[in-house]
Amino acid sequence: ATGAGGGGGGAGSLLQPESLLDAAAKRVAGSWAFERVEGRFQRIPEPVQRRIVYWSFPRSERQICMYSSFQPGRAAAAASAASAAAG
């Protein structure tokens, strides 16, 4: 059987299955906004909160650019304008 999840270092190490915590946190993060999770459930253990937040962030550069104000090219122009104004 091939491993389909997390862990595992170099090529010589054994593949580790994804933890139940990570699998559940990934599923929750993919379905609900974290604010809804916090509002609905009062007592979420901190390690669980951290994993849900971790999996809530986008993974690809394209998604990060789409969901943030950062856009390639614009950041470099803003940095050069700021350095010109300071100098």
Side-chain angles (χ1 to χ4, degrees):
T2 59
S13 67
L14 296 175
L15 293 176
Q16 296 295 317
E18 186 173 49
S19 72
L20 183 57
L21 172 59
D22 272 330
K26 191 185 298 186
R27 181 70 175 210
V28 168
S31 304
W32 292 9
F34 185 70
E35 293 82 15
R36 290 190 62 194
V37 174
E38 278 186 311
R40 183 162 183 175
F41 306 101
Q42 286 95 21
R43 300 175 72 188
I44 303 170
E46 191 168 330
V48 175
Q49 288 181 26
R50 277 189 265 139
R51 295 316 292 169
I52 293 172
V53 169
Y54 174 81
W55 288 111
S56 294
F57 283 95
R59 297 282 168 246
S60 73
E61 184 178 346
R62 181 175 171 265
Q63 287 179 326
I64 292 168
C65 290
M66 184 169 64
Y67 292 114
S68 70
S69 59
F70 173 73
Q71 294 177 355
R74 189 178 286 184
S80 64
S83 65

